[in-house]
Amino acid sequence: MCLLLGAALGGAALAQQPATPVNEQQVHEVAAQLRCVVCQNLSVADSPSEMAQQMRAIVRERLAAGERPEQVVQYFVDRYGEWILLSPRGRGFNLLVWLFPAVAVAVGLAIVAVVLRRWTRRRRAAPPAAAVDAGMSERIRRELDGGA
Amino acid sequence: MTRLWRWLIPLSAIPLLALLAYGFRTNPRDIPSPLVGRPAPAFALTTFAGAPLALETHRGRVVVVNFWASWCYPACYEEAPVLERGWRAYRDRGVVVIGVDIQDRREAAEKFIRDFGLTFPNAQDPTGKVSVDYGVYGVPETFFIDRRGRIRAKHVGAVTDEVFRANVERLLAEPEGPPGPA
């Protein structure tokens, strides 16, 4: 009984623990979404620069304070704009970036389908080779034979 | 059918051309700050001289916050005399210039301050938190904060006398009154 109570109390204490233990994997995941502001095409997770180190420390600290990863990302977006995100969010004008390749592939496939159908239809609709009348072919054969 | 296709192909190029026209007219290096028009993030640092330096204590004054580094050559070297001149010319009219040194070594920064004879308060941002709060992505960057504590302009690159004067005069000309609707 005492043991059970102790276990229950221990569980409660764990649940109440204010500082969330920070998972380095989570820090990396958030940092990988952020553009290193002093580099070219490097994420905060990949850059060795001092600025990126400080930004990683800020990510870790905010996660430790109990913020969700989305909130941490939003903290940076509020200060730097969406420019800080390595992949633009799929909404508003940005949707174009996400949808345009799919639309381009769909339109391309549609054009290929139409062109292919037109080619095959033309071949099928082409007049049969035996359109030469019997008299003419007889004459050709005779001339060929005569010439040989 | 063929007539339709003949029109469809040039027509389909129009949105693409419009997109390119839009894209080529915007400057890819120009990063608009979402902070312009918003309250300036508070900070409390310690100056090189050891005095506390908090933005809050300057509420009611026009504040110029400049982010710099001693390794930022030539832009920071060009603007240091401009900032010192601006500070001396406007301090009596309620303008404060604050220098925030980022990503720097203390000795090098102190030498910079000595070399240029800077007399306005300068502090280091050792954790980079102030720079991130201000969305700083390079040095130099300068923020002009109005009397109500809102960021009104951001200048990227060396500040010139004209830029300093124009921004400060504009903010000084505004009525001091109580904070109105933002």
Side-chain angles (χ1 to χ4, degrees):
Chain A
M1 180 63 198
C2 221
L3 219 107
L4 252 173
L5 197 72
L9 276 174
L14 263 180
Q16 276 178 352
Q17 202 169 32
T20 325
V22 181
N23 177 350
E24 280 307 310
Q25 179 62 30
Q26 210 173 29
V27 173
H28 182 86
E29 273 167 23
V30 171
Q33 292 176 51
L34 303 171
R35 186 199 294 261
C36 161
V37 296
V38 294
C39 325
Q40 299 234 328
N41 299 326
L42 263 186
S43 78
V44 167
D46 299 325
S47 167
S49 73
E50 194 183 338
M51 185 88 184
Q53 282 175 32
Q54 292 180 337
M55 285 169 82
R56 282 197 296 272
I58 291 171
V59 168
R60 191 172 299 119
E61 202 173 285
R62 299 192 86 88
L63 287 173
E67 279 190 22
R68 280 182 287 112
E70 310 87 75
Q71 287 174 305
V72 179
V73 170
Q74 190 57 44
Y75 165 82
F76 285 96
V77 171
D78 286 344
R79 278 146 189 87
Y80 286 94
E82 289 200 7
W83 175 87
I84 196 81
L85 299 175
L86 279 173
S87 57
R89 283 176 172 162
R91 64 171 184 233
F93 185 71
N94 288 346
L95 265 179
L96 209 61
V97 180
W98 294 98
L99 296 182
F100 192 75
V103 170
V105 168
V107 169
L109 283 176
I111 290 174
V112 168
V114 166
V115 169
L116 272 181
R117 219 174 56 193
R118 204 182 284 177
W119 283 352
T120 50
R121 198 192 296 151
R122 196 174 295 159
R123 192 168 298 159
R124 225 180 291 138
V132 189
D133 67 292
M136 177 63 91
S137 54
E138 180 58 37
R139 197 178 139 193
I140 289 168
R141 196 184 309 138
R142 214 183 307 132
E143 281 196 9
L144 282 171
D145 287 348
Chain B
M1 181 69 182
T2 9
R3 201 184 295 167
L4 185 74
W5 275 105
R6 198 174 297 160
W7 281 105
L8 210 63
I9 291 166
L11 275 179
S12 67
I14 289 174
L16 199 68
L17 286 176
L19 188 70
L20 287 176
Y22 166 78
F24 281 124
R25 282 162 59 134
T26 57
N27 180 0
R29 291 173 198 280
D30 185 28
I31 302 156
S33 173
L35 294 169
V36 173
R38 299 235 302 258
F43 59 81
L45 298 167
T46 307
T47 65
F48 285 95
L53 177 63
L55 182 65
E56 292 304 290
T57 56
H58 298 296
R59 185 61 58 85
R61 285 190 245 184
V62 171
V63 184
V64 180
V65 178
N66 170 255
F67 289 87
W68 63 276
S70 65
W71 46 262
C72 146
Y73 182 85
C76 295
Y77 288 71
E78 283 165 12
E79 68 172 10
V82 172
L83 293 168
E84 180 62 23
R85 262 201 300 278
W87 156 247
R88 290 188 185 191
Y90 284 96
R91 60 187 297 183
D92 294 335
R93 290 177 62 190
V95 176
V96 182
V97 178
I98 293 175
V100 181
D101 174 39
I102 66 170
Q103 323 279 329
D104 213 347
R105 282 184 305 118
R106 194 179 173 93
E107 312 77 62
E110 281 171 337
K111 183 178 184 307
F112 182 94
I113 291 169
R114 260 199 321 275
D115 287 353
F116 284 101
L118 303 182
T119 57
F120 56 86
N122 269 286
Q124 253 188 325
D125 176 25
T127 58
K129 252 179 225 159
V130 179
S131 8
V132 170
D133 265 344
Y134 278 79
V136 170
Y137 59 91
V139 272
E141 277 184 27
T142 306
F143 293 83
F144 294 90
I145 300 165
D146 69 11
R147 291 191 176 110
R148 295 176 197 170
R150 285 178 307 174
I151 293 176
R152 297 292 297 279
K154 174 184 178 178
H155 182 83
V156 177
V159 170
T160 59
D161 286 311
E162 291 71 39
V163 168
F164 189 94
R165 199 178 316 124
N167 280 290
V168 165
E169 288 286 354
R170 180 167 65 98
L171 297 183
L172 279 175
E174 287 178 356
E176 227 164 311

